[in-house]
Amino acid sequence: MAAASGGARIAAAVAVLCALCVPGLVLVAVLVDLDTADRMASLAGAATGLVGLALSVLALRRADPAAVRASGDGAISVGGSVGNSAVAANSRVRGRSAAPAAGAAAVGPVVAEGGRAFAAGGDVTGSALGEGSEVDGR
């Protein structure tokens, strides 16, 4: 069986704490008084809210850095290699060129912003990228 990830362990610990808080607050309300249980529940709620906020910020900071995003009219963003592709208007590839060699995965985000922007996270081989461009792959 695989070991649990850090996030799964944190989620399990939070679930156990929540499961223990409810009966604990009921016992305080029954054995001590309702006013004390009310104060304890308010503090527990505030602490839970702060922990939730901290975990949300942490999750947003750990967003996938290898995200592929294109924005703008005609923008193209590719997370890997691009081969034998005609991308712009009136561009074309003739024949077949060799396939790109296997390379390392893209590091960081692959982002194309602006009109007709192009971004690739890997090799670009045998591709006609500009408007009216042509590649002869023979």
Side-chain angles (χ1 to χ4, degrees):
M1 185 188 242
S5 69
R9 282 182 268 176
I10 290 173
V14 169
V16 169
L17 285 173
C18 289
L20 293 175
C21 282
V22 172
L25 289 171
V26 170
L27 283 174
V28 170
V30 171
L31 299 176
V32 181
D33 65 4
L34 191 57
D35 192 42
T36 303
D38 180 43
R39 288 186 193 134
M40 289 179 68
S42 294
L43 288 173
T48 301
L50 289 174
V51 168
L53 176 64
L55 290 175
S56 296
V57 169
L58 182 64
L60 288 173
R61 288 192 57 171
R62 288 187 180 176
D64 184 14
V68 177
R69 187 178 75 236
S71 64
D73 187 34
I76 299 171
S77 183
V78 180
S81 298
V82 177
N84 304 322
S85 301
V87 176
N90 300 319
S91 62
R92 66 184 189 187
V93 176
R94 294 177 188 229
R96 289 190 61 84
S97 61
V107 177
V110 179
V111 180
E113 294 179 341
R116 291 185 245 163
F118 179 85
D123 295 328
V124 179
T125 58
S127 297
L129 302 178
E131 189 170 329
S133 61
E134 184 175 313
V135 173
D136 190 355
R138 287 182 256 165

